[in-house]
Amino acid sequence: MNFLVIDGNSFLFRAFYGIKLLTAKDGHYTNAIFGFMNIFLSLIEQTNPEAVAVAFDTDKPTFRHNMFDGYKAGRKKMPPELAEQIEPLKKILRAYGCTIIECPGFEADDILGTLSHAYKDGKCYVATGDRDSLQIVSDNVSVLLTTTKLGKTHTVEYTPAVLLEEYGLTPSEMIELKALQGDNSDNIPGVAGIGPKTAGELIKKYKSIEAIYENIDALEATASVKNKLVVGKENAFLSKTLGTINLSAPIETDVSAYLLKEQDKEELKNQLAYHEMFKL
């Protein structure tokens, strides 16, 4: 059985910023809903799932915020034009038969990781626009990474083999990579002065930051790189913790809870008509 797990926040933001502001005749905004539903229907067609979970962040601080005050600091507040589209989108998804899932204290990424890690009876597709999820790829978990270039949406299915071909790394080594290079979008510090190229070379050779620091004196690197690693050791281990997706979020993991329900066709029709999405 195919299980599709969708990063709701990722696609909602991607749709909102990827499509110019659209409104219905009464003035309410619809561009994020429209863009999301186009991506959603494409994913349904591509994966033909029997179970679908759409994960969303909550507005509560997560365990990462509690661990590091600077986590995601500097991110702009959600525009009200986007915020007003969230609940209407959830209504449409529920009418379609999907299960919406949130977990206060955890991020949508943790929900994706927990559900995909627990599912062993078939193929799990994790759909997202965030490369963070590449760390959860496995033999039965594919990450469908969606990107937009020149106004066109592209989806690449990442398996362990594709990940190895593109990055030269295993899924777990993607965590180690972030520990060194950090992540500006989440304000994860990494090691100051260590960029993607140096980080990638180090992880390919030593496999983990633990092995790097255990061999720091004999490390095959320049004196400058060694010094940066020594100075940034605390941040490296903090960044690894912050960048690791939690695989045991306190949520229901039995796939039967996420089986597609019978569509409420009348509600679906009414909702889409209200947003003037007559083609959909």
Side-chain angles (χ1 to χ4, degrees):
M1 180 171 69
N2 290 348
F3 183 18
L4 174 62
V5 186
I6 297 174
D7 185 342
N9 281 79
S10 173
F11 288 133
L12 192 67
F13 276 85
R14 185 170 295 277
F16 179 77
Y17 288 107
I19 300 174
K20 67 178 182 178
L21 282 176
L22 299 174
T23 60
K25 288 178 182 176
D26 67 1
H28 76 269
Y29 292 95
T30 60
N31 60 314
I33 298 171
F34 178 72
F36 187 104
M37 289 307 297
N38 276 297
I39 295 171
F40 171 79
L41 293 172
S42 175
L43 290 168
I44 292 292
E45 183 178 358
Q46 181 178 350
T47 61
N48 191 29
E50 294 177 54
V52 178
V54 186
F56 286 94
D57 292 334
T58 70
D59 57 4
K60 307 295 183 188
T62 69
F63 69 92
R64 295 180 182 87
H65 293 94
N66 296 332
M67 184 184 302
F68 177 48
D69 288 340
Y71 183 64
K72 292 193 175 180
R75 280 202 175 184
K76 295 179 181 178
K77 188 176 180 181
M78 181 184 292
E81 297 88 348
L82 172 56
E84 74 170 47
Q85 297 184 63
I86 296 176
E87 289 307 316
L89 172 64
K90 290 178 181 178
K91 282 184 180 180
I92 293 172
L93 292 171
R94 290 190 181 102
Y96 191 92
C98 300
T99 300
I100 305 295
I101 181 167
E102 300 170 342
C103 186
F106 294 81
E107 296 179 53
D109 279 354
D110 301 313
I111 296 173
L112 306 181
T114 299
L115 290 178
S116 62
H117 182 68
Y119 185 56
K120 307 296 183 186
D121 298 328
K123 183 73 174 183
C124 184
Y125 293 96
V126 174
T128 181
D130 189 347
R131 291 181 182 273
D132 289 349
S133 293
L134 294 178
Q135 64 183 264
I136 61 177
V137 167
S138 69
D139 290 338
N140 75 304
V141 178
S142 287
V143 168
L144 301 177
L145 187 69
T146 300
T147 58
T148 303
K149 293 180 180 178
L150 302 175
K152 293 186 178 181
T153 298
H154 304 269
T155 300
V156 177
E157 180 177 345
Y158 279 88
T159 61
V162 174
L163 192 64
L164 189 64
E165 182 179 350
E166 182 169 326
Y167 287 92
L169 300 173
T170 65
S172 63
E173 288 167 358
M174 295 298 291
I175 304 171
E176 312 295 333
L177 185 70
K178 178 172 281 197
L180 292 183
Q181 71 180 34
D183 184 343
N184 289 335
S185 66
D186 289 340
N187 201 37
I188 294 177
V191 176
I194 300 293
K197 183 180 179 181
T198 301
E201 290 171 351
L202 288 168
I203 298 306
K204 284 175 187 176
K205 183 167 184 61
Y206 294 97
K207 309 302 182 185
S208 71
I209 61 170
E210 286 81 4
I212 287 171
Y213 283 102
E214 285 170 7
N215 295 281
I216 194 71
D217 292 333
L219 204 68
E220 293 182 20
T222 65
S224 174
V225 167
K226 285 184 183 180
N227 184 61
K228 290 171 183 174
L229 288 168
V230 171
V231 172
K233 181 177 181 179
E234 185 176 339
N235 274 347
F237 282 93
L238 170 65
S239 297
K240 180 172 180 175
T241 302
L242 292 173
T244 300
I245 290 176
N246 189 303
L247 302 180
S248 55
I251 57 174
E252 177 59 69
T253 56
D254 189 331
V255 71
S256 64
Y258 306 101
L259 291 172
L260 276 171
K261 301 170 184 65
E262 184 177 353
Q263 289 183 14
D264 185 338
K265 293 186 178 180
E266 193 63 27
E267 174 69 5
L268 198 54
K269 176 182 172 182
N270 290 339
Q271 287 293 330
L272 292 172
Y274 171 68
H275 298 298
E276 298 174 8
M277 297 177 188
F278 300 109
K279 187 176 179 181
L280 286 180

